[in-house]
Amino acid sequence: MARTDAIVLGAGIVGTSVALHLAKRDLSVALIDRAGVGEQTSYGNAGIIEGNTVFPPAFPVGLATLMRIAFKRASEANYHLSFLPRVAPWLIAFRAASRPEQLIETARLIRPLFARAVAEHEKLLAEAGASRSLRKTGWLKVYRSGRSFRALQGEFDLAAQFSLPLQPLDWCGARALEPSLSPVFTHAVFWPEAASISNPLDVTRAYAARFAQLGGVTLIGDARSLHRSSLRWRVETNEGGIDASEVVVALGPWAGDLLDSLGLKLPLMGKRGYHRHFRTQRNAALSRPVLDADVGYVITPMEQGIRMTTGVEFAARDAAPTPRQFDRALPKAHELFPLGDPADDKTWLGCRPCFPDSRPVIGRAPGLPGLWLAIGHAHWGLTLGPATGRLLAEMMAGATPFCDPAPYRAERFL
Ligand SMILES: Cc1cc2nc3c(=O)[nH]c(=O)nc-3n(C[C@H](O)[C@H](O)[C@H](O)COP(=O)(O)OP(=O)(O)OC[C@H]3O[C@@H](n4cnc5c(N)ncnc54)[C@H](O)[C@@H]3O)c2cc1C
């Protein structure tokens, strides 16, 4: 490349969206990944664009729930015992961030980003000629116990303050939306303004193709080769070294591999999760993602079949897969929906990159001039990729950002 203004490290949905937004601003951009575009975490998610998110996930409360998790009887969470000493400080911070007043504060701080989530995807999808992947059919959360449904009142109140529409439903109301669901739940909530994607991998690839149309270059390279070369940053790729004065780190759950070596220690931890695709029995169908809230999994209609995704597993990022949660939830999923045979041979494993306060880091890397961060999108990287791309590109170009980026600064951890 003759001249590179910016290098983006990591071609998941977050890095690709950042690269595309920078290219839209006429910058010359190199997007670098060691694998194919969108093939890692951004491939395997539940496909939900959760613009309606109110509260972030919270540390479990109640002795019964904690005991179920501790004795590995829960399908919503699992852990590797050997990992607990390493993850303990993160869990303590996560627990502190899960106090009710903190959750309300987080909900307010993340709202401006989420409020733009669906609209920013719609814009990029239209530009990329991929609007057919978007379903604006909302998402449905079903509750097997009246108690867990009644516990939602705080969320409903805050949703009203945010002007987020929702419809509490009984089983008949939910069946009117999704006729293939069985009567194993008593209540449901329909969030009409959420959207979903029928093939997350294709969407990231479509954004990368649009990036290429605008002159962006995608290369294979190892981000860990990043180093200072006089006043610029330099990274090695299959096509030789590339240097630029601005570099964006968008390495998802691998960000720490690079940042630790640059001396920037941030509390980024991976919450692992699994998926598998299934055919359907008879003429059963789904029109939108469905969360079986009391069990802790999601079923989403995808081009490959019905994708069933699990809750979180606390284990080392690179440890061998242990899809017990998936196996525990599967009979419950069969109860709810007539899943047929598996459509793939094995269960996919991915890792949500999470900070303990459930907010991403978007902005400058403290103490490392020219380095920018777009990491830690946790349960919402697909949702927030395009909004993050726009925000960071505006910051890097010195334009007025569409929302206040202060809540996403890395300095909150230093
Ligand atoms: C089971 C599950 C369900 C989910 N459901 C949803 C959902 O419904 N909605 C939603 O919004 N989010 C969901 N998420 C979260 C979402 O998938 C992630 O937040 C998002 O994919 C993170 O995107 P990313 O671009 O930051 O990371 P990634 O997609 O992981 O991209 C990081 C990239 O960095 C590259 N990389 C790593 N190391 C190097 C290196 N040394 N050199 C070069 N390249 C490197 C990788 O190859 C990868 O392409 C889910 C996640 C899981 C696991």
Side-chain angles (χ1 to χ4, degrees):
M1 288 173 83
R3 170 187 64 91
T4 307
D5 298 316
I7 294 168
V8 179
L9 300 173
I13 185 65
V14 174
T16 305
S17 300
V18 171
L20 175 49
H21 270 284
L22 290 171
K24 276 159 61 98
R25 290 183 166 270
D26 287 334
L27 296 182
S28 157
V29 183
L31 175 62
I32 295 174
D33 202 295
R34 63 183 172 193
V37 166
E39 289 179 358
Q40 303 302 315
T41 330
S42 299
Y43 155 67
N45 52 62
I48 309 165
I49 303 178
E50 300 182 46
N52 59 286
T53 292
V54 178
F55 287 127
F59 195 88
V61 284
L63 191 60
T65 310
L66 284 170
M67 294 303 272
R68 266 192 316 112
I69 296 172
F71 287 107
K72 293 182 174 272
R73 295 213 194 94
S75 40
E76 68 270 32
N78 190 34
Y79 65 94
H80 288 186
L81 194 57
S82 57
F83 188 59
L84 288 187
R86 254 171 72 194
V87 77
W90 190 96
L91 285 174
I92 291 166
F94 179 48
R95 188 157 183 258
S98 300
R99 288 195 296 265
E101 65 280 10
Q102 286 298 323
L103 291 176
I104 293 173
E105 174 69 0
T106 303
R108 292 191 193 288
L109 293 175
I110 59 180
R111 182 91 299 265
L113 265 189
F114 281 86
R116 291 299 311 163
V118 176
E120 294 300 328
H121 261 292
E122 273 187 290
K123 272 202 266 178
L124 293 193
L125 286 165
E127 278 179 39
S131 300
R132 67 187 178 285
S133 297
L134 183 71
R135 270 185 309 240
K136 292 182 78 177
T137 51
W139 78 310
L140 185 68
K141 302 184 184 183
V142 305
Y143 298 83
R144 293 177 184 235
S145 98
R147 201 163 142 221
S148 49
F149 177 74
R150 285 189 294 278
L152 297 173
Q153 194 52 54
E155 188 173 2
F156 290 175
D157 293 344
L158 204 52
Q161 285 181 35
F162 293 158
S163 304
L164 286 175
L166 62 95
Q167 293 166 25
L169 300 169
D170 59 12
W171 178 72
C172 288
R175 275 270 295 209
L177 288 173
E178 293 293 353
S180 299
L181 297 183
S182 306
V184 293
F185 59 94
T186 51
H187 297 84
V189 182
F190 178 51
W191 296 84
E193 288 196 353
S196 58
I197 293 287
S198 57
N199 189 330
L201 175 61
D202 272 5
V203 166
T204 311
R205 283 180 174 164
Y207 292 173
R210 176 69 185 142
F211 166 68
Q213 275 175 1
L214 296 176
V217 175
T218 302
L219 297 168
I220 297 287
D222 190 336
R224 290 168 298 183
S225 65
L226 185 75
H227 59 280
R228 275 274 181 203
S229 167
S230 63
L231 290 177
R232 291 162 76 84
W233 291 98
R234 186 176 179 85
V235 68
E236 304 306 323
T237 76
N238 280 4
E239 300 192 16
I242 293 207
D243 59 70
S245 53
E246 312 290 319
V247 174
V248 179
V249 177
L251 294 167
W254 293 274
D257 295 358
L258 172 64
L259 297 178
D260 286 1
S261 71
L262 297 175
L264 181 58
K265 305 257 182 218
L266 297 175
L268 187 68
M269 210 272 304
K271 290 184 190 168
R272 305 201 320 172
Y274 297 87
H275 89 219
R276 198 164 185 186
H277 297 107
F278 292 87
R279 300 189 180 88
T280 56
Q281 290 178 32
R282 303 179 295 277
N283 295 325
L286 279 182
S287 302
R288 55 184 60 75
V290 176
L291 167 73
D292 191 344
D294 292 333
V295 184
Y297 67 90
V298 173
I299 45 176
T300 304
M302 292 278 178
E303 284 170 17
Q304 301 96 322
I306 301 289
R307 179 179 289 184
M308 178 179 158
T309 46
T310 67
V312 304
E313 182 179 60
F314 293 99
R317 184 191 65 201
D318 301 327
T322 49
R324 289 191 202 102
Q325 263 172 299
F326 187 90
D327 297 341
R328 266 196 298 268
L330 186 55
K332 294 287 188 183
H334 278 292
E335 268 177 27
L336 178 67
F337 180 85
L339 293 174
D341 293 332
D344 27 41
D345 297 340
K346 58 178 187 172
T347 311
W348 174 89
L349 168 64
C351 199
R352 305 167 180 94
C354 303
F355 288 108
D357 61 5
S358 296
R359 278 182 261 153
V361 165
I362 304 168
R364 286 185 181 279
L368 295 164
L371 203 72
W372 299 82
L373 306 173
I375 54 175
H377 289 73
H379 296 250
W380 310 296
L382 176 68
T383 300
L384 296 178
T388 299
R390 176 175 161 190
L391 180 62
L392 195 66
E394 287 168 347
M395 293 167 78
M396 290 174 70
T400 306
F402 76 85
C403 70
D404 178 8
Y408 318 122
R409 283 158 57 96
E411 282 82 352
R412 67 188 193 268
F413 297 117
L414 302 178

